[in-house]
Amino acid sequence: MRGANAALGAAGLAAFLALGEAVPRLGLVKEAYLPPTSRIVHALGQEVSDHAFWTALGDTLTGWALGLAIAIGAGVVVGLLLSVVPYLREATASTIEFLRPIPSVALIPLAVLLYGTELRSVLLLVVYASFWQVLVQVLYGVQDVDPVAEETARSYGLGPWARVRHVLWPTALPYVMTGVRLAAAVALILAVTAELVIGAPGLGARIAVAESSQAVPDMYALVVVTGLLGLLINVGARTVERRALAWHQSVRGEAMV
């Protein structure tokens, strides 16, 4: 089954690449706007051989990884505190619902004002966007705790943190891993967006330079790199999720299928 899915995926990718080669060659779209796939691949090869490309890639991954780590840590800690401290969640519900829908890109002027084009500007946007993905999933996971299991833990004399470890956390962990997977993708999007708009060092800034200098194939090649990064991050996050939840029935059922 997996082999058939992989073959279908490869066939779909091959068809997409062939379409990207044929459309500009047939004159349906001007090559100045959409170069053929072969030119993009050639530009990608030139980018890979350039040391500056790897420096930009490292800058993007640094902003992504640091921002994601901060967001995960803060989201889990805050989510657990809001869940276990009496009345704290009710007191903060309106504040969370007010802050959560604010688009991270709306904070770009603030980030530039505070930190300019430094890494901290990227981190501000990445952390703000990713934090809510984790926090909301933690809160949903805590809501899913079985009241009978909670009362049983209380009757056996387990303290607050023991109940968190043995009852709350195992129930919330699948939700947390979903939040981490979503946050990983959002963090990459915001890292590249911040670099593109602010001019912070990274792939986004390199895309902006390629666009302004009319190096269209190089621009598309860099866009392809960001897409491949997103794919690798998603695959990696799913792998970590499966290993972390190897005991969970959803992962065991998936493995059996």
Side-chain angles (χ1 to χ4, degrees):
M1 186 64 178
R2 291 184 179 179
N5 291 337
L8 289 174
L13 178 60
F16 177 75
L17 295 176
L19 182 64
E21 181 73 24
V23 168
R25 297 290 187 189
L26 295 174
L28 300 177
V29 177
K30 291 183 179 180
E31 291 191 19
Y33 303 141
L34 179 63
T37 302
S38 56
R39 288 185 59 192
I40 296 176
V41 171
H42 178 70
L44 180 59
Q46 291 181 325
E47 287 287 340
V48 172
S49 63
D50 188 355
H51 177 73
F53 164 80
W54 294 104
T55 301
L57 178 61
D59 291 333
T60 296
L61 290 177
T62 298
W64 168 80
L66 287 177
L68 180 62
I70 295 171
I72 292 173
V76 170
V77 171
V78 173
L80 291 177
L81 285 176
L82 293 180
S83 302
V84 300
V85 177
Y87 306 112
L88 185 58
R89 182 170 182 180
E90 289 77 6
T92 58
S94 58
T95 303
I96 291 174
E97 291 305 317
F98 170 74
L99 293 175
R100 187 166 62 91
I102 297 177
S104 297
V105 293
L107 300 180
I108 287 179
L110 176 62
V112 174
L113 181 64
L114 292 176
Y115 306 119
T117 59
E118 298 179 11
L119 174 62
R120 288 181 291 179
S121 293
V122 178
L123 291 179
L124 174 62
L125 301 176
V126 170
V127 171
Y128 186 84
S130 305
F131 169 77
W132 302 112
Q133 307 294 327
V134 180
L135 175 64
V136 170
Q137 290 299 322
V138 172
L139 296 178
Y140 283 154
V142 173
Q143 280 185 336
D144 200 37
V145 172
D146 188 353
V148 175
E150 177 72 14
E151 290 301 322
T152 302
R154 290 178 184 274
S155 66
Y156 276 96
L158 270 67
W161 293 113
R163 293 198 303 272
V164 168
R165 178 183 176 184
H166 297 291
V167 179
L168 189 152
W169 182 248
T171 302
L173 186 57
Y175 292 86
V176 174
M177 295 308 301
T178 298
V180 169
R181 178 160 47 85
L182 295 174
V186 170
L188 178 64
I189 294 171
L190 265 297
V192 175
T193 300
E195 295 163 357
L196 185 64
V197 177
I198 298 174
L203 291 176
R206 197 167 174 85
I207 291 173
V209 171
E211 185 273 334
S212 61
S213 61
Q214 300 298 313
V216 179
D218 296 85
M219 181 190 72
Y220 277 102
L222 292 167
V223 171
V224 168
V225 171
T226 61
L228 291 175
L229 273 181
L231 177 63
L232 292 175
I233 287 172
N234 185 61
V235 171
R238 286 188 175 276
T239 301
V240 172
E241 183 178 13
R242 291 192 187 97
R243 291 185 178 181
L245 300 176
W247 53 271
H248 196 265
Q249 60 181 2
S250 62
V251 174
R252 293 203 308 268
E254 182 180 339
M256 291 177 61
V257 173

